Amino acid sequence: ICHPSLANNELSGPTILAYLSKYLNKKKTNYSYRILFVPETIGPITYLSKKINIIKRNFVAGFTLSCIGDNGNFSIVETPNANSYSDKIAKQQINKYKKKNIYKFTESGSDERQFNYPSINLPVVTITRSKFGNYKEYHTSADNLNFISPKSLGQSYQFVKNIIDKIEDNYNKDYRIFATTKCE
């Protein structure tokens, strides 16, 4: 949404989120889900400034999708402590792949920064394929529809859907984990 002409950097995440919202709308869930379509940096800052108390009371796990439509290895950017429920669920999914990348929070650069900001403390993991800034097409006109593919978008949709399904499956089993990751 920040650079709407870029296919992987900007449109792949919202595209997958649109399909995930359709999936969630048809699924009986134990949790409610907030799907945000906001411009990078200023969008989360504005949203959090208005909704932080509600979110902190109800937060279980959070994920940012960025650069997720190409055929690069699945990758995540951890939260600052790398051990939140969001980290654990994302790592369970990514560890199913031989080729993967797990980046430390110090290598962040997307909206995970705003959610994990010290006074906010919402453990949000970024899910990506070719991490922002790490591929030559990044922020160029070469990040177009030829750079992404329906196959990669489908794989990325399934990756994130599996995370949601795992969170739903853990509803009663991991309640103690949820209580420790809530930011009160």
Side-chain angles (χ1 to χ4, degrees):
I1 296 175
C2 193
H3 308 289
S5 64
L6 304 179
N8 193 43
N9 180 220
E10 295 299 338
L11 297 179
S12 62
T15 300
I16 291 168
L17 286 174
Y19 281 93
L20 285 169
S21 68
K22 288 174 73 173
Y23 170 71
L24 288 167
N25 195 40
K26 294 177 183 175
K27 180 179 174 63
K28 182 178 178 345
T29 62
N30 296 303
Y31 297 103
S32 62
Y33 292 82
R34 291 180 188 258
I35 296 176
L36 304 179
F37 294 96
V38 294
E40 189 174 39
T41 307
I42 193 67
I45 290 170
T46 302
Y47 180 78
L48 289 167
S49 75
K50 297 175 186 287
K51 302 287 186 180
I52 190 61
N53 293 330
I54 293 168
I55 295 170
K56 282 189 173 189
R57 272 194 308 271
N58 299 298
F59 188 86
V60 173
F63 307 92
T64 295
L65 306 184
S66 181
C67 304
I68 195 165
D70 67 309
N71 66 357
N73 297 335
F74 281 106
S75 304
I76 62 170
V77 178
E78 299 172 315
T79 66
N81 72 8
N83 198 30
S84 71
Y85 186 68
S86 303
D87 290 293
K88 291 175 185 178
I89 289 292
K91 287 175 184 175
Q92 284 177 3
Q93 179 62 25
I94 204 167
N95 284 331
K96 295 177 182 177
Y97 296 84
K98 287 182 182 179
K99 294 182 178 181
K100 61 186 174 273
N101 298 304
I102 299 175
Y103 297 98
K104 300 285 182 206
F105 183 74
T106 54
E107 300 174 75
S108 66
S110 189
D111 284 335
E112 72 280 347
R113 296 170 300 172
Q114 285 65 253
F115 293 107
N116 286 286
Y117 189 77
S119 65
I120 302 295
N121 295 320
L122 294 173
V124 172
V125 168
T126 291
I127 301 170
T128 186
R129 295 206 54 172
S130 295
K131 185 176 158 282
F132 37 85
N134 286 5
Y135 59 97
K136 67 181 181 179
E137 295 82 3
Y138 181 71
H139 279 196
T140 72
S141 59
D143 184 354
N144 57 39
L145 292 176
N146 294 320
F147 184 62
I148 63 174
S149 72
K151 180 180 177 183
S152 293
L153 287 166
Q155 292 168 339
S156 296
Y157 166 82
Q158 191 62 48
F159 185 94
V160 180
K161 180 183 165 294
N162 289 346
I163 288 174
I164 291 169
D165 290 343
K166 185 66 173 176
I167 290 169
E168 289 293 326
D169 290 346
N170 287 344
Y171 178 64
N172 289 322
K173 298 177 215 164
D174 288 342
Y175 184 76
R176 287 170 286 139
I177 293 172
F178 297 158
T180 61
T181 60
K182 279 187 169 180
C183 301
E184 305 279 344

